[in-house]
Amino acid sequence: GENVEQHPSTLSVQEGDSAVIKCTYSDSASNYFPWYKQELGKRPQLIIDIRSNVGEKKDQRIAVTLNKTAKHFSLHITETQPEDSAVYFCAAPLYNFNKFYFGSGTKLNVKP
Amino acid sequence: DVKVTQSSRYLVKRTGEKVFLECVQDMDHENMFWYRQDPGLGLRLIYFSYDVKMKEKGDIPEGYSVSREKKERFSLILESASTNQTSMYLCASRVGIAGDEQYFGPGTRLTVT
């Protein structure tokens, strides 16, 4: 929803290139920022998350960066592969820390 | 390994019917959620429950109700299905506060004709 904005809505890259997806959030008290990957016909699954006490976290080819001052966080995928093609969602807990607000999703297409 | 299951993968109902979607998780999670997923709109929260018999409205609760009589089961009810409720419905569960991973079910594709 509008509490978490995600861009771009679609992203097409060549295999081997990098992909970056950005999200902004509105509640400065948010302290946990997950990224989910949803392959076609499958459920969303957590791929990486970051807490507000660090600025960057890496896991092999994926990384997430967080800028708390600007209230935005980004997903970086390096050396993209066709199996990275999916819809990616960011999320942040807002206002009520029992629930997440999700971004509207980014459809990533990695062309072989 | 956390498992979240939903009663149906595909469902076709007629306008005005009462529809029950069930979700079961096997990891003793306190929190359970129902989302609907529509293209370009992401995942929108309908209702969530943080304990047995406890529920809280999400962003789009109109036309829906929920029931949580047992910790492992969370049901979404469409009292009188309408065509604008045609969507993908995803259930999720989480052990604790929002700093924990949320696990999703496989989804139910509901079509209301």
Side-chain angles (χ1 to χ4, degrees):
Chain A
E2 65 273 11
N3 297 301
V4 179
E5 292 192 3
Q6 182 172 345
H7 299 281
S9 56
T10 59
L11 181 59
S12 191
V13 300
Q14 207 65 42
E15 183 177 358
D17 288 351
S18 295
V20 181
I21 304 169
K22 296 183 179 180
C23 284
T24 59
Y25 60 97
S26 55
D27 186 354
S28 56
S30 296
N31 58 3
Y32 173 69
F33 307 92
W35 284 92
Y36 286 80
K37 176 183 180 183
Q38 186 178 29
E39 296 177 3
L40 190 63
K42 296 190 176 179
R43 69 191 79 189
Q45 292 197 297
L46 181 73
I47 54 169
I48 195 166
D49 55 18
I50 191 168
R51 298 181 192 274
S52 58
N53 57 345
V54 296
E56 183 177 3
K57 182 177 177 181
K58 273 186 174 180
D59 183 3
Q60 299 182 354
R61 295 187 297 108
I62 60 172
V64 56
T65 57
L66 172 65
N67 183 327
K68 284 217 75 179
T69 305
K71 291 189 283 188
H72 67 70
F73 56 110
S74 299
L75 177 70
H76 304 253
I77 307 174
T78 58
E79 300 171 30
T80 53
Q81 299 168 6
E83 51 265 38
D84 294 329
S85 295
V87 178
Y88 292 81
F89 293 98
C90 62
L94 293 174
Y95 312 128
N96 180 327
F97 276 28
N98 257 335
K99 55 183 178 180
F100 289 132
Y101 284 91
F102 283 84
S104 53
T106 296
K107 186 174 182 181
L108 173 65
N109 179 36
V110 180
K111 295 178 284 187
Chain B
D1 199 24
V2 177
K3 190 172 282 184
V4 182
T5 57
Q6 294 182 227
S7 50
S8 305
R9 290 301 305 273
Y10 300 93
L11 210 51
V12 179
K13 295 290 180 181
R14 293 192 181 276
T15 301
E17 278 193 86
K18 192 168 186 176
V19 182
F20 293 87
L21 303 181
E22 288 211 315
C23 175
V24 177
Q25 51 93 4
D26 66 357
M27 285 302 291
D28 203 35
H29 286 175
E30 288 88 359
N31 300 285
M32 296 187 75
F33 307 81
W34 276 106
Y35 295 88
R36 67 176 278 176
Q37 183 176 18
D38 301 288
L41 297 177
L43 297 161
R44 292 182 293 166
L45 183 65
I46 305 171
Y47 267 99
F48 74 100
S49 168
Y50 48 92
D51 203 348
V52 175
K53 297 190 186 295
M54 306 304 287
K55 61 185 179 184
E56 197 166 319
K57 291 180 181 178
D59 300 319
I60 50 166
E62 297 79 19
Y64 303 95
S65 62
V66 290
S67 172
R68 192 163 180 205
E69 296 298 317
K70 294 185 178 181
K71 193 174 185 180
E72 67 272 17
R73 191 180 298 270
F74 191 35
S75 301
L76 180 70
I77 303 151
L78 286 66
E79 297 291 343
S80 177
S82 63
T83 54
N84 62 11
Q85 292 178 309
T86 291
S87 187
M88 170 68 82
Y89 290 87
L90 286 162
C91 173
S93 74
R94 190 177 70 227
V95 62
I97 61 172
D100 298 312
E101 180 176 354
Q102 197 155 290
Y103 295 87
F104 285 88
T108 295
R109 171 77 63 187
L110 173 67
T111 302
V112 183
T113 61

